[in-house]
Amino acid sequence: MRRSRSWRLAPIGVAMSVPDLSQPVAEAGTKQSLTIPVEHAEDLRRLGEALRARTDDVVSGMVLRTTQSGHALDELVEESFARVGTVSTVAVARWMAGEGPEVAREVGQESWHIFGQLAAQRAAPLNEVTKRCLRWCDAAEDVVRETAAQLNLSPEVLARALSMLQRSLNVTLVRMCESFETERQVAHSELTRRQEELAFMATHDSLTGLPNRTLILDRIEQMLVRSRRHQTPVAALFVDLDNFKSINDTLGHAAGDELLQAVAARLDGAVRATDTLGRLGGDEFVVIAEELSLAAGPELIADRLLEALKQPFTLGAGDDATTVSVTASVGIAAGDRLLAGDLLRDADIAMYRAKWDGRNRHALFEVGMQDTVQRRMELEMDLRVALENDEFLLVYQPTFDLRDMSPTGLEALIRWDSPTRGVVQPDDFIPLLEETGLITEIGKWVLEQACHQGAAWREAGYEIGMAVNVSARQLDTDEFVIDVRDALSHSGLEPSALTLELTETTLMRDADETARRLIAIKGLGVRIAIDDFGTGYSSLAHLQKFPVDALKIDRSFISGLHDNQEGETLLHTLVQLGKALSIETLAEGIEQPQELTLLQGEQCDSGQGFLYARPLDVAATEKFLEDWAENGAGGYERR
């Protein structure tokens, strides 16, 4: 292969000068030029046209040199180099043909740009890009010399052509370097931007833009160091939205995300500029505060956070807008800790205490809370696998017609037979099922089991109804209406034999939506009863709003009736209210004969209690039903 001649001096006797590259390259090819007789201009034009016609030969020579070097690059990259060879050859050929250096520079811009991109984007090393420039010049020079000889051109014309070729190479090299630097700066700027973006993403929440757990822990560490040095107070406030899952499930994840963004904005407006608000994930936020912010105590900050959430949030826009209200539970951990994670953990524990105490409040971490939370979390973990492991069972407590004491129905009650805890009573696990939302899945299981068992007993000839307690969580969505319909369909239980019992508090949680769903359920033929009646929102207006068939008078009104004249008066009022509305009244918790006598005197319709029957397992319930069928009240041994 011929050695590169890109640095060769012009032939002796030819008036040539190399462009001054300290000047802008656009001017470099026009500042000075070779002196050539006019009679040779036609020969130079002919050479230029011939060179353009042999563009492929130039490119082939360029490729051959690369192949012989043994350093070929990626096929697509080599194709780019071939494109550059084509464009460069056409550019210099048009210049020789008399179109002027401006045309050559215009055509050659594509070459400079391609060269710069290849180098800046690291598709090809800069030294290989430079070698391709030199190989093109060598290949073009071979074709120019060969063509000049074929056309029998004078040495002066050849020298002029080679000078123009050399100048084209010089311009290409300079422009290529300029393009490379431009592309390199663009790539560097983009890389810097991406690095900054990734660094932000690594330390901030993508949804709200707030600091995430990583950054929060780092700032707590710094805060603790300052606190130890200056003996200043520090605190972390763990904020968890109440019932966010039900909102997310009801309105959808897009609305849930919008709500989280709105909550973040509200909370951010409630904290001082010196405090830090972050999002730990899900519906969990945290505020860390120190020094002046804690002058009046961290409880004041917690009050501000809760106050900020009082106003309803409007999600969506136009006709699709939805108004929702949310509350939060706030856990506070104050004072020095060994590690940042310890302060955050204690605030989290205190937050759980706030939830257990009723939600929409704050609680301050105290020693001993951790053990309580640990036990609670272990209970939750056991409950999460209890349904899968078939650990739940139903017992049934009979209800009686107080006129003749004949059984009218059974109330299904859940029990938990834990392999490690034994039989667990409802009061010890139902609240946690409610809090975690597990009550929805387990409530559906209770409904299905009770309907199947009720259908089996009715098919066996026992004309009794089946009552099932319904959680407020179950009534949060229209899915519950489908659950009731499916349970009836799958079991074959007559709709009129099923009674759903809801507390007054459940009814009033979202009165309009609850009324709509209960009307749909009532349309299936199912009965509706208000449980624990008299302890919640008892009023004629509320009763008229819902399709109620029965009122279950709370046991607190029954206990000790014979010693409580005021209780008798209130009981009389509740029974008469039911009669006025043509609603059945059922008394809970009858344990003494005197209580039964008073209820019968008030003409209460039905009742249940330990006086006649405790909750019974399936076998005992069947024995109870058999005894009543055969012998009536006299043949049944009270349990």
Side-chain angles (χ1 to χ4, degrees), residues 412-543:
L413 302 169
I414 190 171
R415 299 290 186 268
W416 177 22
D417 188 5
S418 168
T420 57
R421 302 170 185 271
V423 177
V424 185
Q425 296 302 309
D427 289 347
D428 295 327
F429 68 89
I430 290 293
L432 189 54
L433 291 180
E434 292 273 5
E435 180 181 317
T436 58
L438 292 171
I439 193 67
T440 302
E441 181 182 5
I442 293 174
K444 180 179 179 180
W445 175 86
V446 170
L447 180 63
E448 292 173 347
Q449 294 294 311
C451 285
H452 277 285
Q453 187 62 71
W457 281 330
R458 289 178 68 85
E459 188 175 346
Y462 305 115
E463 292 297 319
I464 48 89
M466 180 63 68
V468 177
N469 291 285
V470 176
S471 159
R473 283 287 188 98
Q474 290 175 270
L475 271 171
D476 277 344
T477 69
D478 292 339
E479 187 71 24
F480 180 63
V481 180
I482 300 174
D483 291 342
V484 174
R485 184 185 62 202
D486 290 348
L488 292 171
S489 174
H490 297 160
S491 66
L493 181 67
E494 301 163 34
S496 60
L498 176 63
T499 300
L500 300 180
E501 298 185 359
L502 308 91
T503 65
E504 293 176 271
T505 303
T506 296
L507 291 175
M508 299 309 300
R509 177 166 165 167
D510 187 344
D512 292 338
E513 285 298 297
T514 299
R516 181 178 62 80
R517 293 182 182 115
L518 291 182
I519 290 171
I521 291 171
K522 186 68 177 171
L524 300 175
V526 176
R527 287 164 46 86
I528 306 295
I530 299 181
D531 199 7
D532 300 334
F533 184 68
T535 62
Y537 300 90
S538 304
S539 77
L540 183 60
H542 291 145
L543 289 178

Side-chain angles (χ1 to χ4, degrees), residues 308-326:
L309 300 178
K310 279 190 174 181
Q311 290 297 318
F313 292 85
T314 299
L315 307 179
D319 295 337
D320 296 328
T322 303
T323 300
V324 299
S325 296
V326 297

Side-chain angles (χ1 to χ4, degrees), residues 284-406:
E284 297 176 340
F285 298 84
V286 66
V287 174
I288 57 174
E290 56 185 321
E291 298 191 46
L292 293 178
S293 294
L294 297 174
E299 292 86 353
L300 182 60
I301 299 177
D303 287 335
R304 289 206 309 267
L305 297 175
L306 295 176
E307 182 67 26
L309 300 178
K310 279 190 174 181
Q311 290 297 318
F313 292 85
T314 299
L315 307 179
D319 295 337
D320 296 328
T322 303
T323 300
V324 299
S325 296
V326 297
T327 60
S329 299
V330 182
I332 306 169
D336 191 19
R337 298 293 193 281
L338 182 62
L339 298 172
D342 296 342
L343 188 67
L344 208 55
R345 177 204 61 206
D346 291 348
D348 189 11
I349 291 171
M351 180 274 296
Y352 276 105
R353 169 55 65 185
K355 282 192 180 293
W356 300 340
D357 288 345
R359 306 183 181 188
N360 193 25
R361 65 193 65 212
H362 55 74
L364 184 65
F365 176 81
E366 298 175 356
V367 176
M369 276 188 181
Q370 186 169 357
D371 293 337
T372 302
V373 169
Q374 182 65 30
R375 289 193 297 270
R376 184 95 168 195
M377 293 182 70
E378 290 172 356
L379 178 63
E380 179 181 339
M381 292 173 63
D382 289 347
L383 278 171
R384 289 188 179 278
V385 298
L387 184 59
E388 180 181 344
N389 295 341
D390 198 25
E391 296 174 15
F392 292 110
L393 57 94
L394 296 183
V395 295
Y396 303 89
Q397 186 171 21
T399 57
F400 299 88
D401 186 325
L402 296 187
R403 290 167 296 186
D404 59 9
M405 295 309 298
S406 60

Side-chain angles (χ1 to χ4, degrees), residues 4 80 96 186 214 257 263 280 290 350 409 436 498 596 618:
S4 173
S80 297
M96 291 179 184
V186 170
T214 300
D257 288 347
V263 167
L280 301 179
E290 56 185 321
T436 58
L498 176 63
L596 175 59
V618 172

Side-chain angles (χ1 to χ4, degrees), residues 19-31 95 101-102 104-106 108-109 112 166-179:
D20 181 4
L21 297 182
S22 65
Q23 299 295 328
V25 178
E27 302 174 8
T30 58
K31 281 275 184 177
W95 184 16
E102 294 80 7
R105 284 195 298 272
E106 181 179 344
Q109 284 179 354
W112 310 332
Q166 179 68 49
R167 293 188 182 194
S168 295
L169 173 64
N170 293 342
V171 171
T172 296
L173 287 173
V174 173
R175 285 300 194 191
M176 181 269 292
C177 290
E178 288 180 349
S179 182

